[in-house]
């Protein structure tokens, strides 16, 4: 009864507060600091709370904000010896916004924090400053903050009735501790399955409705996808679309909150329980039963309203929707097209030289070299794919091309390209290594062919070719063996042209007979390698700033000195070359370990703004069409599109004419929000181009290789009524 009276009192206080006027220009949250004591005793634990009165139609965020947003933060400056615990979060509600769903609170919310007073606290008046910050959203999002102060006495413990009522209501709205409901989370063939068992679910669908799961970790489920519920007495099952952490399997326990309405005296009462879902566990007989084709009594109303026709809780990202055979075909075609993508330019020299030097070798040896090259390509695709899947399964921010998000890999590749260029010019010869790619020396030629395949994938794979995106999107939602099979088909596609030439050498009949021209060609092809090294140093600049470039260039200088010393004869030259090689390795380490800049240099074009979900929401709330360029400095296709189609005068004028809001999301360095957004749209990496219509709704996903016509037509569709 006391708790009920407290809740009613808090409701009256909140209602009175909610009735207060909000300026049309904001702020959209009226905050205040309160406590359940006006005076605390030494050694006592009490609660300080941030109370937010929220403007009608706006909301703030839960600890897991969902697809976008930020949780409210409270920073108390306590006297020495005082300690504070974690925020007690009331159970959230779901707020759909376009294709996104957020978790949070509207109207008013109270966030208590337990505070313990030291036993030797001196009596007297204490002033406790606090800094609170939050993001408040309607159709747009506004970051707000406040400096607040609470004055409290230390002495005999005395309650603050108004504050105590608010805090008691917050505890009533908070989920019950874990233990009342047993939970298990497992990966089904087509969905993520949460099974529940416990007395609070007694009565099944006759007593329980609107059952929903809110995970603590934002990467466990797809928040915007429907949650499909089956209920029996004392047990329940929720089928959901898996998130980034659970696409492959459920390998660890994930906590969260379940909420539902339970009939009490004929009236629904909202209940909330904390659960800790055991990985791979089935805790109810409903584990083997298929979920209904439509929500029974669960899923947040907001979610159902937002996506009534969304896909069932499927495994693959939304844009996939294909089967294995189609994905394998797409991967094969994508690999073939990858040979024509700009990403391959850095290794074009090695490929061309390989073709030329195949002339004149034995037919059987030529075929063998082709197969070894193909093996290098396919095995490297499989290795990168395995690492990619392992990192994603571990909860990392993996994306296709992630190897070039490491400044160490970029610096190492720049050094490698520079050395290959020097080797092509004849500065040094090391006989059995890189320069012997495709040579007539059998052992070294075979190793060189394999190495060429490895390097081709390592440098070229970060780019996404047409058809490749769909295949990768499918692979991301599949078990590892199926995903790796798709990666293998990508490798087959990339290697196939060269393997065919190896088996049918008469295709090279248009080349002139071997002679001095081959030496000149090899020297000329050194310069694309130097160009690749310059490009990689430019990528290093975007990742580590000027210091990284300085150390990278000194590294190349040392490498050049090493190569020159290596070409000389005599013991002294060998010692000098060895010392220079050690110096080069040290400089590589120095360049690779430079601190990462917080953000890659922004585009010099003022028309493009830095991307964030909140900025996109704000532009869309103004009724503008929005174009987002997800790019990276190491993505050659991205740079080609940026310098080509996206800089075309007809495109820029089209953007300006239709007042399209332009945003650029730079993925040069790791960024979890970008990685999550790419995954939401079924993209394994960059480039990704999204064209949001002015009238609302889901964005149009453009192909990875743009033309001016593709972009202008997308703009026309986005601004059409």
């Amino acid at each position: 009864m006391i708790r009920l009276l407290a809740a009613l009192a808090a409701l009256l206080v909140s209602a009175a507060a909610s009735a207060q006027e909000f300026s049309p220009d904001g702020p959209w949250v009226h905050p205040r600091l309160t406590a359940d004591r006006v005076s605390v005793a030494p050694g006592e634990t009490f609660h300080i709370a941030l109370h937010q009165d929220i403007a009608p139609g706006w909301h703030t965020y839960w600890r897991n904000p969902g697809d976008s947003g930020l949780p409210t933060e409270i920073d108390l400056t306590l006297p020495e010896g005082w300690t504070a615990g974690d925020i007690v979060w009331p159970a959230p509600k779901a707020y759909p916004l376009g294709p996104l769903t957020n978790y949070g609170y509207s109207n008013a919310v109270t966030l208590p924090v337990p505070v313990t007073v030291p036993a030797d606290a001196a009596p007297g008046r204490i002033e406790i400053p606090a800094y609170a910050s939050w993001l408040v959203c309607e159709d747009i999002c506004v970051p707000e903050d406040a400096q607040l102060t609470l004055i409290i006495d230390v002495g005999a413990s005395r309650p603050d009735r108004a504050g105590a009522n608010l805090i008691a209501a917050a505890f009533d709205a908070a989920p019950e501790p874990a233990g009342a409901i047993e939970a298990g989370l497992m990966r089904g063939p087509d969905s993520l399955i949460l099974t529940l068992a416990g007395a609070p679910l007694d009565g099944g669908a006759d007593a329980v409705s609107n059952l929903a799961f809110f995970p603590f970790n934002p990467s466990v489920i797809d928040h915007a996808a429907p949650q499909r519920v089956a209920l029996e007495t004392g047990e329940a099952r929720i089928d959901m679309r898996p998130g980034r952490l659970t696409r492959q399997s459920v390998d660890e326990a994930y906590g969260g909150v379940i909420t539902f309405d339970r009939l009490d005296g004929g009236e629904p009462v909202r209940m909330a329980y904390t659960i800790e879902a055991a990985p791979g566990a089935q805790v109810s007989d409903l584990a083997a039963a298929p979920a209904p084709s439509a929500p029974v009594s669960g899923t947040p109303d907001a979610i159902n309203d937002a996506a009534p026709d969304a896909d069932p809780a499927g495994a693959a990202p939304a844009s996939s929707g294909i089967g294995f055979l189609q994905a394998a075909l797409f991967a094969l075609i994508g690999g073939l097209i990858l040979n024509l993508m700009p990403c391959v330019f850095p290794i074009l020299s090695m490929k061309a030289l390989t073709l030329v030097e195949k002339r004149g070798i034995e037919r059987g040896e030529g075929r063998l070299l082709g197969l070894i090259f193909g093996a290098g390509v396919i095995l490297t695709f499989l290795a990168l794919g395995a690492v990619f899947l392992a990192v994603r399964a571990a909860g990392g921010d993996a994306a296709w091309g992630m190897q070039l998000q490491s400044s160490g890999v970029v610096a190492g590749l720049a050094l490698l390209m520079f050395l290959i260029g020097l080797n092509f010019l004849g500065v040094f010869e090391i006989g059995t290594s890189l320069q012997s790619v495709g040579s007539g020396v059998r052992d070294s030629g075979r190793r060189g062919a394999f190495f060429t395949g490895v390097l081709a994938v390592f440098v070229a794979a970060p780019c996404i070719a047409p058809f490749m995106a769909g295949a990768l999107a499918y692979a991301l939602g599949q078990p590892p063996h199926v995903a790796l099979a798709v990666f293998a088909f990508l490798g087959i596609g990339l290697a196939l042209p060269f393997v065919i030439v190896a088996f049918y050498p008469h295709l090279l009949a248009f080349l002139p007979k071997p002679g001095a021209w081959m030496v000149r060609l090899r020297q000329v092809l050194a310069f694309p390698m130097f160009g690749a090294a310059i490009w990689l140093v430019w990528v290093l600049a975007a990742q580590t700033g000027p210091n990284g470039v300085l150390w990278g260039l000194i590294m190349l200088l040392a490498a050049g000195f090493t190569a020159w010393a290596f070409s000389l004869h005599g013991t002294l030259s060998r010692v000098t070359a060895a010392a220079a090689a050690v110096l080069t390795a040290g400089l590589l380490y120095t360049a690779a370990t430079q601190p990462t800049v917080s953000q890659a240099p922004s585009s010099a074009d003022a028309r493009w703004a830095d991307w964030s979900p909140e900025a996109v929401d704000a532009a869309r709330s103004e009724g503008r069409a929005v174009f987002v360029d997800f790019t990276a400095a190491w993505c050659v296709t991205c740079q080609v599109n940026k310098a080509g189609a996206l800089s075309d005068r007809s495109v820029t004028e089209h953007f300006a004419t239709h007042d399209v809001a332009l945003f650029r999301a730079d993925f040069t360095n790791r960024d979890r929000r970008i990685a999550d957004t790419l995954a939401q749209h079924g993209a394994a990496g960059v480039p990704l181009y999204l064209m949001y219509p002015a009238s609302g709704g889901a964005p149009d996903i453009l192909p990875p290789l743009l033309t001016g016509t593709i972009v202008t037509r997308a703009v026309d569709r986005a601004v059409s009524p």
Side-chain angles (χ1 to χ4, degrees):
M1 178 60 73
I2 293 176
R3 296 184 73 183
L4 177 60
L5 291 175
L8 289 174
L11 182 63
L12 291 174
V13 170
S14 297
S18 299
Q20 61 185 285
E21 294 294 330
F22 284 89
S23 167
D25 299 323
W28 309 108
V29 171
H30 292 172
R32 56 193 164 103
L33 209 58
T34 188
D36 53 7
R37 295 285 187 276
V38 292
S39 178
V40 293
E44 182 180 12
T45 296
F46 70 111
H47 295 89
I48 297 176
L50 173 69
H51 180 80
Q52 296 176 320
D53 291 308
I54 305 169
W58 295 71
H59 63 269
T60 57
Y61 290 91
W62 188 49
R63 55 182 293 181
N64 167 14
D67 289 324
S68 63
L70 293 170
T72 297
E73 295 184 356
I74 308 169
D75 183 12
L76 298 172
T77 303
L78 297 171
E80 185 176 354
W82 294 44
T83 59
D86 297 329
I87 296 175
V88 178
W89 298 91
K93 292 184 177 179
Y95 297 90
L97 181 64
L100 308 179
T101 292
N102 299 323
Y103 297 157
Y105 313 98
S106 56
N107 298 323
V109 65
T110 302
L111 303 175
V113 177
V115 175
T116 299
V117 183
D120 58 353
R125 177 150 295 185
I126 298 295
E127 187 173 287
I128 300 177
Y131 173 75
S133 61
W134 57 88
L135 188 70
V136 57
C137 298
E138 188 197 35
D139 292 332
I140 63 172
C141 293
V142 180
E144 296 183 352
D145 58 7
Q147 289 282 357
L148 306 166
T149 301
L150 178 74
I151 297 176
I152 194 167
D153 292 330
V154 177
S157 179
R158 289 186 292 117
D160 179 325
R161 297 195 181 282
N165 288 338
L166 282 174
I167 291 171
F171 274 95
D172 285 344
E176 298 290 336
I181 295 181
E182 186 182 5
L185 191 65
M186 56 179 288
R187 185 68 173 86
D190 300 317
S191 64
L192 184 68
I193 303 171
L194 175 67
T195 51
L196 305 166
L201 299 171
D202 284 349
D206 293 335
V208 175
S209 60
N210 295 324
L211 177 64
F213 175 53
F214 298 86
F216 292 147
N217 191 309
S219 299
V220 173
I221 66 171
D222 182 340
H223 305 101
Q227 297 184 9
R228 300 183 179 277
V229 177
L231 278 161
E232 296 288 347
T233 184
E235 57 187 15
R237 163 178 169 153
I238 305 177
D239 279 52
M240 301 166 289
R241 181 178 292 159
R244 180 168 53 84
L245 291 177
T246 56
R247 286 201 181 95
Q248 306 300 329
S249 61
V250 180
D251 300 322
E252 60 180 282
Y254 292 110
V257 172
I258 61 164
T259 64
F260 55 88
D261 292 334
R262 183 172 184 81
L263 290 178
D264 184 2
E267 295 295 327
V269 177
R270 193 176 192 232
M271 310 293 289
Y273 289 85
T274 303
I275 62 168
E276 188 73 11
Q282 306 174 11
V283 301
S284 81
D285 293 337
L286 289 172
S293 57
V296 174
S297 57
T299 75
D301 292 339
I303 293 179
N304 291 336
D305 293 342
D309 299 323
D311 293 339
S319 64
S320 176
I322 59 178
F324 172 75
L325 292 178
Q326 194 173 359
L329 178 62
F330 283 2
L332 181 66
I333 297 174
L336 282 168
I337 297 176
L338 197 59
N339 285 286
L340 305 176
M341 298 293 285
C343 309
V344 185
F345 288 170
I347 57 168
L348 193 59
S349 300
M350 299 178 70
K351 285 188 172 184
L353 194 59
T354 301
L355 288 175
V356 169
E357 292 186 342
K358 279 182 185 298
R359 288 200 48 157
I361 65 174
E362 296 177 5
R363 188 167 185 173
E365 182 67 13
R367 291 179 175 179
L368 181 60
L369 289 177
L371 292 175
I372 292 175
F373 170 80
V377 169
I378 295 171
L379 290 176
T380 308
F381 256 115
L382 289 174
L384 284 179
V387 172
F388 177 68
L389 295 174
V391 172
R392 290 179 72 93
D397 298 329
W400 194 241
M402 62 182 178
Q403 66 268 30
L404 291 183
Q405 289 182 324
S406 165
S407 56
V409 172
V410 173
L413 282 175
L415 176 61
L416 181 60
M417 296 295 175
F418 183 68
L419 289 174
I420 293 175
L422 292 178
N423 174 249
F424 281 6
L425 286 178
V427 174
F428 69 101
E429 299 287 344
I430 53 178
T432 59
S433 188
L434 304 180
Q435 87 287 2
S436 56
V437 174
S439 75
V441 182
R442 292 191 177 207
D443 290 342
S444 60
R446 293 169 186 175
R447 285 196 292 271
F450 185 83
F451 174 81
T452 305
V454 171
L455 194 60
V457 176
F458 213 73
V459 175
C463 286
I464 307 290
F467 294 95
M468 191 173 162
L472 288 175
Y474 170 82
L476 292 180
Q478 301 305 313
H481 65 283
V482 177
L484 291 177
V486 175
F487 286 117
F489 274 96
L490 276 170
I492 293 172
L494 181 62
L496 194 57
F498 294 88
V499 176
I500 289 175
V501 169
F503 274 76
Y504 300 97
H506 62 275
L507 296 175
L508 299 176
F510 63 90
L511 293 175
K513 294 181 179 180
W517 67 272
M518 294 176 62
V519 177
R520 293 288 178 266
L521 177 64
R522 174 172 162 159
Q523 293 171 345
V524 168
L525 292 180
F527 294 96
M529 306 307 294
F530 293 138
I534 292 172
W535 163 62
L536 289 163
V537 171
W538 177 74
V539 174
L540 195 62
Q543 293 175 320
T544 61
N547 287 339
V549 175
L550 175 63
W551 289 111
L553 292 177
I554 295 176
M555 173 191 70
L556 297 184
L557 177 64
F561 180 80
T562 303
W564 171 77
F566 186 79
S567 67
L568 302 179
H569 299 287
T571 303
L572 181 59
S573 64
R574 288 289 184 266
V575 172
T576 302
V582 172
L583 176 63
T584 303
L587 290 167
L588 171 61
Y589 175 80
T590 304
T593 54
Q594 291 300 303
T596 301
V597 294
S598 59
Q599 188 174 9
S602 298
S603 170
D605 191 339
R607 293 169 297 183
W608 293 83
D610 291 337
W611 171 88
S612 72
E614 294 78 19
V616 171
D617 292 344
R620 299 190 73 190
S621 69
E622 298 172 357
R624 301 174 66 188
V626 173
F627 182 85
V628 184
D629 172 13
F630 291 87
T631 183
W634 39 260
C635 170
V636 181
T637 305
C638 303
Q639 303 309 319
V640 169
N641 285 332
K642 188 185 297 183
L646 296 180
S647 297
D648 185 271
R649 174 174 292 184
S650 63
V651 171
T652 57
E653 290 178 351
H654 221 61
F655 281 146
T657 301
H658 295 286
D659 191 29
V660 177
L662 304 176
F663 294 98
R664 188 155 276 156
D666 197 311
F667 201 41
T668 301
N669 295 318
R670 291 188 177 93
D671 187 305
R672 167 154 289 193
R673 291 215 298 179
I674 294 178
D676 287 345
T677 304
L678 293 175
Q680 287 169 11
H681 294 284
V686 292
L688 173 68
Y689 303 101
L690 300 179
M691 185 77 241
Y692 290 88
S695 57
D700 188 5
I701 300 176
L702 276 58
L705 197 57
L706 298 176
T707 65
T709 302
I710 290 174
V711 180
T712 54
R713 286 180 178 174
V715 172
D716 291 339
R717 291 194 297 272
V719 299
S720 62

